[in-house]
Amino acid sequence: MFARVIVDITNSNVDRLFTYSVPEDMQLSPGQRVLVPFGRGNRPIEGFVIELTGSAETTHQIKSIIKPLEPYTVLLPDQLKLSEWICRAYHCTRADSLRGMIPATLRGSRVREKTVRTLRLSPGLDKDAFLASMYKKDGTPRAPKQLEVFELLNSPGAEYSSPDINAFIPGASAAITALIKKGVLTESDRELYRDPFRGHDPEPTEALPLFPDQRYALEGILNADPGEVLLLHGVTGSGKTEVYMQAIADALEKGSGAIVLVPEISLTPQTTDRFRGRFGDLVAVLHSHLSDGERFDEWRRIRFGKARVVVGARSAVFAPVEKLSIIIIDEEHETSYQSELTPKYDAREVAQRRAKLSGARLVLGSATPSLTSYYRAKHGKYKLLELPERINGVPMPHVDIVDMRQEFLSGNNSIFSSLLAEKLKKTYAKHEQSILFLNRRGYSSHAECKACGFVFTCPNCDVAMTYHKYDGTLRCHYCGAAYRMSDKCPACGSEFIKYSGIGTQQVEEQLARLIPGIRCLRMDTDTTGGKTSHREILDAFSAGEADVLIGTQMVAKGLDIPNVTLVGVVFADSTLFHSDYRSGERTFQLLTQVAGRAGRADKEGSVVIQTNSPNHRAIRLTTTHDYKAFYRMEIEDRMHTLFPPFALFIRALFCSESEQQAADAAGRFADGVTEKLLECLRAHNAEKELIFVMPGSAPIRRRDGEYRYAVIIKLARTKHTAEAINTVYAYADGFNEECFRGVEVNPQEML
Ligand code: ADP
Ligand code: ZN
Ligand code: ZN
């Protein structure tokens, strides 16, 4: 018997199957990890068994597998097929694609099971004889401690570690040793489960009777064909999560499993609690905030079928769920489903492929679907399911837009418009809660000279530095450089430095002046460093320990707190004028999400959006919560200007300390790839599908001391697209210049 093995090295030179012989007495299956001798020195390295064959098909001398690394397969058959697809689709090595499917700590055996020595009564122990031997003739016990230990363990299933027994019965160690010696107690190694929830058990819940729209959506999901994709478009608070849970319950009843992807860790406390409340220990979580040990244990609970509902971030799409029957991607429009590391996969595409391979259904859910998904649903590629109303007839919140330029002209220089200030006061007086949202993605508080306009930029990168008030530093978020803020402008010596962009701290300070005594909680990257602090902040706010929650993107999604009746968007425009064609779409999505946090129960909600662009459709249309109107206008623009989904972008990146070198390499790449693409398209008489190939400096021209140049390729999306992408990949493979950093299809950020 021979095994075809992928060695766990990500180097394209060894990115192929190597054949090893399997020793007679070794049991192996595809999907298992093995140790194999490799290279001239026969260095032992780890590898994945992809298939077993009867013949070797090689004339080379065949080496033999040293040993399996685990007694079980770490990859299921559908995962092996999926990894094959991933290398093709995202142009990475097979080892790269396989690594993403197992916990990183499994490799190199860095984390193992955690065990503890436990004690229980020996099976078949003659209890009466033992007890008889323990009493003197006059009825007094011979060894009271030993009797106590015996009593503690004398109940069905009782099994404790020696420290635990000592906690119940102080000074029991000698008694334990004696009982082991007599054969009364048996020791064994029990695995200790590292529980990421650590006793945080939510209230159990039961399926709610569904409203007609929900029932219709659920039936749509349950009746879907294997491999089918459904788009569940439901406004915020329309009961999507309840539909997900009932679809999962159906899968569990049939003995199958489910994967639920949620976009961000900030969403997981409340969301995972809902799933755990419904499905208890059958739920496992997978996200980046787990310790190595916790992730390893969760992964194995999934692998061995103890957990059959996986809730996690994008990489959970690779979870080893057997008999997978449903994948749910909540808030499918979120950018965090796109990986920025190799392989640069899109979890939505991977999920779609995995659903096909496993015969599962894929449900994409959102209040504001990505334009591309909605377009596909409209054109029959996905099945569209809709929940147009909030549960129980709760009205959508009332949205006011405030033009901050007018506000400034009328003499209000504060962060809060008079409308928002008034509403904050009213909400506080009614003992209801508010959320103040800072749209800070893209740029944050940078320091600028009021006199000459000098902006403090990072010396290594071409970006403005962020001012951190708490320690008086300027920091670069791209390279991590930190400098002490100077009192004077380095350019003109003026002492008037202005901090543009608003931080959560500043909002808190002004709010305290506006409403003395108001209690605030802040949630941003400065306050959520710790592992649980995020959850602690949310729990405290839900428990009513504060009147206002001030936060960045983290507060935008998922929160469901009945007492929140006011949402204020401090300044909506930060995401609006990015050099990215999706900035309008993203702003609309974000504002709709935040607005959805207000008035989710019986109290009416209200939203105030402060902006300098009140007429921009991404802002204007949030007042009517009109996703469909936004979609119609946006998709029409994209069709006319040829932007996704009607076109696609490919970006090649070149970085070098020498600007000339990066620019020249980009120029050569552009020339070469244009020629290849035209050659490929000409064969189909489709040269005009290549819209442009544009070399130039990247939006962030300098980062970490390197100059960055990019070649942007824009192609019409047609039936030739796949072939064109492969042409670019093939050209990139042969482009061996040192400053070339690879190509990416549809990058989420053009920065
Ligand atoms: P979404 O996920 O669309 O934002 P949720 O699932 O969070 O909506 O539902 C909003 C609220 O309505 C939640 O508090 C939820 O418990 C409640 N809810 C959902 N479905 C029902 C139902 N069928 N009957 C009663 N309450 C429901
Ligand atoms: Zn100056
Ligand atoms: Zn920097």
Side-chain angles (χ1 to χ4, degrees):
M1 188 63 98
F2 300 93
R4 317 257 280 149
V5 172
I6 290 285
V7 292
D8 195 1
I9 303 175
T10 63
N11 178 331
S12 51
N13 294 327
V14 296
D15 187 23
R16 57 198 157 86
L17 292 163
F18 290 92
T19 303
Y20 287 89
S21 65
V22 183
E24 287 278 311
D25 54 350
M26 194 184 286
Q27 288 292 324
L28 271 188
S29 309
Q32 235 172 318
R33 293 192 326 134
V34 286
L35 205 61
V36 293
F38 193 71
R40 258 191 235 137
N42 283 334
R43 184 167 60 95
I45 61 169
E46 299 182 352
F48 299 90
V49 177
I50 302 298
E51 56 191 25
L52 295 171
T53 59
S55 65
E57 289 170 12
T58 172
T59 52
H60 288 278
Q61 196 213 330
I62 293 176
K63 299 174 197 172
S64 165
I65 286 180
I66 299 169
K67 63 168 189 188
L69 287 162
E70 289 87 9
Y72 52 87
T73 59
V74 298
L75 295 157
L76 305 172
D78 68 324
Q79 291 179 298
L80 284 173
K81 286 198 199 112
L82 188 64
S83 90
E84 211 179 310
W85 177 83
I86 285 184
C87 340
R88 265 183 284 126
Y90 304 108
H91 201 60
C92 64
T93 64
R94 193 77 193 268
D96 270 328
S97 73
L98 292 166
R99 280 180 183 183
M101 299 185 175
I102 58 169
T105 45
L106 203 60
R107 303 175 45 234
S109 308
R110 275 173 289 147
V111 171
R112 285 284 138 184
E113 296 80 358
K114 188 168 171 184
T115 53
V116 61
R117 191 132 269 221
T118 58
L119 298 153
R120 62 196 154 102
L121 295 187
S122 303
L125 170 73
D126 185 342
K127 293 182 188 172
D128 293 337
F130 166 71
L131 281 174
S133 76
M134 289 303 285
Y135 290 93
K136 295 184 194 151
K137 284 215 178 77
D138 62 0
T140 53
R142 286 179 202 275
K145 277 264 147 69
Q146 289 185 26
L147 277 168
E148 271 186 78
V149 172
F150 172 83
E151 287 307 334
L152 180 69
L153 294 173
N154 187 22
S155 65
E159 179 167 355
Y160 299 106
S161 70
S162 147
D164 281 352
I165 296 175
N166 270 291
F168 284 116
I169 308 168
S173 300
I176 292 171
T177 316
L179 288 171
I180 294 171
K181 232 179 179 170
K182 286 190 206 166
V184 177
L185 297 186
T186 302
E187 281 187 292
S188 52
D189 282 330
R190 256 311 122 103
E191 192 190 327
L192 208 63
Y193 165 51
R194 285 159 285 203
D195 180 3
F197 305 111
R198 272 182 289 279
H200 232 100
D201 282 328
E203 289 289 308
T205 63
E206 278 182 24
L208 299 168
L210 296 182
F211 286 94
D213 282 342
Q214 283 178 310
R215 199 169 334 119
Y216 188 76
L218 179 64
E219 273 160 21
I221 296 169
L222 299 185
N223 295 332
D225 295 324
E228 192 168 347
V229 185
L230 304 106
L231 178 64
L232 179 57
H233 176 214
V235 297
T236 53
S238 59
K240 295 187 287 292
T241 312
E242 186 63 36
V243 172
Y244 300 153
M245 291 196 289
Q246 299 202 16
I248 292 169
D250 177 82
L252 292 177
E253 253 166 53
K254 296 187 171 120
S256 318
I259 294 177
V260 184
L261 301 188
V262 291
E264 263 164 88
I265 176 64
S266 54
L267 259 173
T268 48
Q270 270 209 340
T271 313
T272 45
D273 278 0
R274 287 179 76 177
F275 287 95
R276 290 179 59 232
R278 189 67 54 90
F279 303 115
D281 289 343
L282 281 175
V283 176
V285 294
L286 287 177
H287 57 68
S288 58
H289 283 214
L290 298 182
S291 71
D292 287 345
E294 287 167 353
R295 185 167 318 117
F296 179 63
D297 285 0
E298 287 296 81
W299 180 84
R300 279 180 317 130
R301 281 202 321 124
I302 301 162
R303 174 63 191 85
F304 300 126
K306 295 200 177 94
R308 290 191 287 140
V309 180
V310 178
V311 180
R314 68 170 174 251
S315 63
V317 73
F318 299 119
V321 178
E322 258 176 311
K323 285 192 262 162
L324 182 63
S325 94
I326 185 165
I327 307 176
I328 290 157
I329 304 189
D330 193 26
E331 314 285 4
E332 68 88 27
H333 60 277
E334 286 288 331
T335 55
S336 62
Y337 288 124
Q338 181 105 13
S339 166
E340 280 141 16
L341 309 168
T342 305
K344 293 187 172 168
Y345 66 92
D346 182 324
R348 288 160 298 198
E349 291 173 359
V350 175
Q352 197 169 339
R353 176 56 54 159
R354 182 145 191 214
K356 269 219 174 73
L357 290 169
S358 318
R361 291 124 188 105
L362 170 62
V363 180
L364 305 172
S366 176
T368 50
S370 66
L371 271 260
T372 302
S373 294
Y374 200 76
Y375 178 78
R376 288 184 184 152
K378 280 275 165 201
H379 290 78
K381 280 206 175 146
Y382 300 164
K383 187 152 138 196
L384 184 61
L385 304 168
E386 295 184 296
L387 297 175
E389 277 162 30
R390 282 186 156 184
I391 290 291
N392 278 334
V394 174
M396 295 302 286
H398 178 81
V399 181
D400 282 302
I401 291 178
V402 179
D403 185 343
M404 290 307 272
R405 296 168 305 181
Q406 292 296 332
E407 202 73 15
F408 182 74
L409 287 178
S410 63
N412 180 2
N413 202 4
S414 122
I415 292 177
F416 307 112
S417 59
S418 37
L419 182 70
L420 182 54
E422 180 200 325
K423 292 212 173 198
L424 280 165
K425 284 181 188 159
K426 266 198 196 147
T427 309
Y428 178 61
K430 281 194 285 183
H431 304 288
E432 293 173 359
Q433 291 173 296
S434 309
I435 292 177
L436 285 174
F437 169 66
L438 271 84
N439 188 2
R440 277 217 327 202
R441 195 193 173 94
Y443 74 82
S444 31
S445 48
H446 56 265
E448 193 179 325
C449 169
K450 275 192 168 177
C452 76
F454 173 86
V455 176
F456 289 77
T457 50
C458 173
N460 312 316
C461 312
D462 223 15
V463 293
M465 309 253 280
T466 305
Y467 178 58
H468 285 244
K469 193 171 178 189
Y470 67 98
D471 61 357
T473 56
L474 284 167
R475 289 168 188 271
C476 171
H477 285 177
Y478 289 97
C479 72
Y483 298 90
R484 185 138 292 286
M485 181 65 201
S486 66
D487 306 334
K488 289 198 178 79
C489 167
C492 75
S494 158
E495 286 176 16
F496 293 94
I497 311 281
K498 158 181 125 185
Y499 303 107
S500 60
I502 305 158
T504 52
Q505 249 180 354
Q506 217 179 331
V507 175
E508 185 176 11
E509 284 164 14
Q510 289 211 13
L511 188 61
R513 253 174 274 145
L514 183 72
I515 308 174
I518 197 162
R519 299 164 307 159
C520 290
L521 280 169
R522 286 195 294 131
M523 185 150 80
D524 54 32
T525 37
D526 292 343
T527 58
T528 54
K531 194 170 156 188
T532 48
S533 53
H534 205 119
R535 187 187 192 112
E536 281 162 12
I537 294 170
L538 291 182
D539 284 352
F541 190 59
S542 313
E545 288 168 29
D547 307 301
V548 182
L549 176 65
I550 305 170
T552 49
Q553 258 65 358
M554 295 174 177
V555 301
K557 306 145 199 163
L559 289 185
D560 187 5
I561 300 172
N563 201 34
V564 173
T565 54
L566 175 64
V567 168
V569 178
V570 176
F571 190 59
D573 306 12
S574 332
T575 43
L576 209 47
F577 299 106
H578 261 191
S579 51
D580 192 306
Y581 66 92
R582 287 158 292 200
S583 53
E585 178 182 356
R586 288 192 181 151
T587 304
F588 181 78
Q589 286 164 343
L590 194 58
L591 293 178
T592 307
Q593 288 293 334
V594 229
R597 301 309 111 213
R600 288 171 67 87
D602 44 358
K603 297 171 194 150
E604 207 167 307
S606 163
V607 180
V608 177
I609 296 177
Q610 306 191 139
T611 174
N612 283 347
S613 328
N615 292 320
H616 194 292
R617 73 167 164 246
I619 290 181
R620 184 166 43 85
L621 289 172
T622 50
T623 55
T624 44
H625 311 279
D626 199 345
Y627 173 83
K628 287 181 186 173
F630 180 78
Y631 167 81
R632 276 194 301 272
M633 291 182 203
E634 192 77 18
I635 204 83
E636 184 149 320
D637 276 4
R638 293 210 190 165
M639 189 153 66
H640 290 311
T641 51
L642 272 185
F643 272 94
F646 307 101
L648 105 164
F649 288 100
I650 303 176
R651 184 187 69 162
L653 192 64
F654 306 84
C655 303
S656 165
E657 279 174 25
S658 148
E659 181 162 14
Q660 194 64 47
Q661 203 171 31
D664 287 352
R668 279 191 292 275
F669 186 94
D671 291 344
V673 82
T674 306
E675 195 180 312
K676 293 287 176 208
L677 276 170
L678 287 176
E679 207 174 281
C680 153
L681 292 169
R682 203 173 290 138
H684 302 288
N685 213 356
E687 283 157 275
K688 63 176 187 308
E689 288 176 16
L690 177 61
I691 302 166
F692 62 64
V693 176
M694 191 173 59
S697 63
I700 294 177
R701 194 179 57 120
R702 211 160 148 255
R703 181 149 149 185
D704 245 337
E706 284 188 325
Y707 288 91
R708 306 164 77 248
Y709 274 71
V711 174
I712 309 285
I713 302 167
K714 189 176 177 186
L715 286 158
R717 198 178 262 287
T718 67
K719 57 180 185 291
H720 309 126
T721 304
E723 197 183 328
I725 293 174
N726 283 332
T727 304
V728 176
Y729 279 146
Y731 181 73
D733 278 346
F735 194 82
N736 286 322
E737 296 193 29
E738 202 189 317
C739 61
F740 178 45
R741 296 294 146 80
V743 293
E744 194 177 347
V745 177
N746 268 336
Q748 278 297 316
E749 299 290 345
M750 292 289 202
L751 301 175

